[in-house]
Amino acid sequence: EARLTNMSLLAQGSIPGQQVQAAQIVQWELEEVYEEHGLDDNDIHNIYQRITWDASADAKSARAAMFNMNKDLEKRVDKACSFVTDAVKAAGASGRILDVGCGPGVLVPHLTKAGVLPKQITGTDLSPEMIRNAKSQHRGVEFV
C-alpha cells in the first residue's frame, strides 16, 4: 500500500490487477498478525534490527578488535571520553557510565585509558550476541 501511494497514477496503472489484489491480501494478513500479537511497525523494525545485529555480532566484534581508528577520529573519541570521565570523577565513588548501544564494547578501552574503572562502566545493547562478545573481551565491565 505504501509503495502504491508513492507511485504516480500512471505507474500504478501499469501494475497488473492480480498483483495489486495479491498485495492487498498479504497486507490484510499482516495486519491480522499485528493485531493478534499486539505488534506495530516499530516492533517489527526492532525485531529485524535485533536479528541483523545478532547475525553480525561476531564479525563486528572481530573487526572492532582489529580496527585501528584514524588519528582524527581517535582524538575525537578520546576527547569525548575525557568529558565523560570528568563527570564520573566529579560524582565520586558512585560515578558510573552507561554505554547505550555498546556493541562489542568499542568504547571501553578509551574510557579506561581516560581513567574510568571497568567497574564504573555498564554497557547495554539490543543484541544479546553483541553483549556476549563484549563480556568475553572486557572483564570487569558489566554488560546487560
Side-chain angles (χ1 to χ4, degrees), residues 45-105:
H45 168 82
N46 290 339
I47 290 166
Y48 279 116
Q49 187 175 35
R50 180 176 172 179
I51 290 168
T52 301
W53 278 108
D54 283 351
S56 65
D58 290 337
K60 288 184 182 296
S61 181
R63 182 172 182 256
M66 297 180 342
F67 176 67
N68 291 321
M69 286 185 199
N70 71 50
K71 294 298 178 193
D72 181 53
L73 178 58
E74 187 170 6
K75 283 171 64 174
R76 293 189 338 227
V77 168
D78 286 341
K79 184 175 183 177
C81 288
S82 73
F83 289 139
V84 173
T85 300
D86 292 344
V88 170
K89 288 178 179 176
S94 64
R96 306 261 314 151
I97 293 173
L98 176 60
D99 183 0
V100 178
C102 66

Side-chain angles (χ1 to χ4, degrees), residues 2 16 21 27-28 31 48 54 57 87-88 96 110 128:
Q21 187 177 15
Q27 178 68 33
W28 294 328
E31 288 171 3
Y48 279 116
D54 283 351
V88 170
R96 306 261 314 151
H110 298 278

Side-chain angles (χ1 to χ4, degrees), residues 7 9 11 24 27-29 49 52 55 58 61 71 78 105 125 128 131 136 142-143:
M7 296 174 77
L9 290 176
Q24 287 173 334
Q27 178 68 33
W28 294 328
E29 290 172 350
Q49 187 175 35
T52 301
D58 290 337
S61 181
K71 294 298 178 193
D78 286 341
D125 199 280
I131 294 297
S136 72
E142 179 183 15
F143 291 100

